Amino acid sequence: MTDLRPFHIPGNPLILFNIWDAGSASAVAKSGAPVIATGSWAVARSQGFDDGQVMPFTRFIDTTAQIIDAVSQPVTVDFEGGFADDLSGLKTNIETLLETGACGLNLEDRVIGGQGLHDTGDQCERIKVLRASSVEMFINARCDLLFMGAKPEEHSDLIVPLIERAKSYANAGADGLFAPGLTNPVLIERLVKHSPLPVNIMRTDETQSIADLADLGVARISHGPVPYLKMMSALGTQAKTYYER
């Protein structure tokens, strides 16, 4: 298993252009990407499911295996909430995921199918299950504190509890912190400074340049559903030229 930790360098971030199937993975792999990453929303939508673990776990595993078989680069996957409601189920599912050859994963702390976030202590127990299953796997702890309906003007009040969660997740065995929804450069810099984990920021448009995020000390930049949305838009536009008379 490739160790993804050395790829996460503050100021020289790992760039992930998220994919959704074997075909998109192959295209991004040929571009020179050092690591291939899935995005749960795009993976689900490309197969006719809504995001949020609606896709059957067996389908998720089959898709993951196809992606990994299609490329030579290490692959990290969006594991959502682990497709499990309890620690026993999570343990079983991570063991199944490891069999595919995945080198990393995102584990989010929102209660999928419920309300709000998992209690910090409960989420730490979930991270510990993953860590106990694999020493090598890169665990990217996703915190949805700023992504659960919080308005940007409220983010400054949430940055301290976000940092506290980062510290707890690090102690539980996480390797990285993913903070989707955070776009304010002052707050990003503050998070980078105080987080014990390398910080992953999701770039959703061109208002945040990769160079600017690197200057803030970000160690990982992902693009979430953006590549899928752009590709589908381009496909629709191209098709339209054949049907419009």
Side-chain angles (χ1 to χ4, degrees), residues 49-227:
F49 297 98
D50 288 331
D51 193 20
Q53 299 181 169
V54 177
M55 174 187 287
F57 182 64
T58 53
R59 187 83 161 264
F60 165 80
I61 288 295
D62 289 344
T63 301
T64 298
Q66 290 168 358
I67 290 168
I68 291 171
D69 288 345
V71 299
S72 59
Q73 290 94 327
V75 175
T76 180
V77 300
D78 191 339
F79 200 38
E80 300 197 61
F83 292 82
D85 297 324
D86 55 37
L87 297 182
S88 176
L90 182 61
K91 182 177 186 297
T92 298
N93 289 350
I94 183 58
E95 290 172 352
T96 302
L97 177 63
L98 286 167
E99 292 175 0
T100 67
C103 296
L105 59 80
N106 291 348
L107 182 74
E108 58 193 76
D109 57 8
R110 74 181 178 98
V111 179
I112 296 177
Q115 298 293 322
L117 306 184
H118 286 285
D119 174 81
T120 300
D122 290 342
Q123 185 66 5
C124 286
E125 291 303 311
R126 291 157 57 78
I127 292 170
K128 288 176 182 178
V129 167
L130 302 184
R131 184 81 292 153
S133 297
S134 173
V135 175
E136 297 87 2
M137 171 77 72
F138 188 97
I139 300 172
N140 199 33
R142 169 173 162 167
C143 182
D144 276 346
L145 194 62
L146 309 185
F147 204 56
M148 293 291 293
K151 299 176 182 178
E153 58 267 25
E154 299 170 341
H155 286 184
S156 59
D157 296 327
L158 296 171
I159 201 72
V160 170
L162 174 59
I163 291 168
E164 291 305 310
R165 281 196 177 243
K167 293 175 180 177
S168 296
Y169 295 167
N171 290 333
D175 300 296
L177 177 73
F178 182 23
L182 183 59
T183 59
N184 185 305
V186 174
L187 297 180
I188 292 173
E189 188 172 39
R190 185 176 173 187
L191 177 61
V192 166
K193 180 180 179 180
H194 295 286
S195 171
L197 298 170
V199 173
N200 176 188
I201 294 297
M202 183 166 67
R203 182 171 176 262
T204 57
D205 57 42
E206 298 302 320
T207 61
Q208 291 178 300
S209 76
I210 289 174
D212 286 345
L213 290 172
D215 288 343
L216 294 173
V218 171
R220 173 168 167 161
I221 299 172
S222 52
H223 289 80
V226 172

